[in-house]
Amino acid sequence: MNYNTNSDGSKTYYNPMTNVTVSDNTSIAPWGGKGVGIYGGSGHPVKDNYVGDTARYIGLGAGRFGVNGSDLLSATVTGNTVVRSGGNA
């Protein structure tokens, strides 16, 4: 069972997302985040995206979101193009 612990000590339960498709997108010059982010869950196909000129963060990130997020159990990442990305944050 997955949950977040709230400030009062109670728990909020949730189901991690599965099989979320991220494909055929174009992300140019995102400022406050990554061009594509894959966080938590399983079975995500991420394909044929174009990311360019990220100002602050990396172009494509994968893993856990923050300290309370779910682990990324599986994803298939193919055919993506990331150029001039890799900010300093």
Side-chain angles (χ1 to χ4, degrees):
M1 187 74 56
N2 294 290
Y3 61 87
N4 289 329
T5 302
N6 303 312
S7 60
D8 64 0
S10 64
K11 295 178 181 177
T12 299
Y13 293 89
Y14 64 91
N15 293 317
M17 295 191 328
T18 58
N19 303 314
V20 176
T21 299
V22 180
S23 65
D24 302 307
N25 296 289
T26 299
S27 179
I28 304 292
W31 169 254
K34 296 161 184 69
V36 174
I38 313 156
Y39 300 110
S42 61
H44 311 310
V46 180
K47 61 182 185 165
D48 302 326
N49 297 289
Y50 179 90
V51 177
D53 301 308
T54 57
R56 192 169 172 204
Y57 292 100
I58 60 175
L60 194 152
R64 174 188 282 200
F65 187 80
V67 296
N68 291 328
S70 299
D71 290 330
L72 176 62
L73 302 177
S74 66
T76 303
V77 181
T78 59
N80 298 285
T81 302
V82 180
V83 297
R84 295 179 308 275
S85 296
N88 61 2

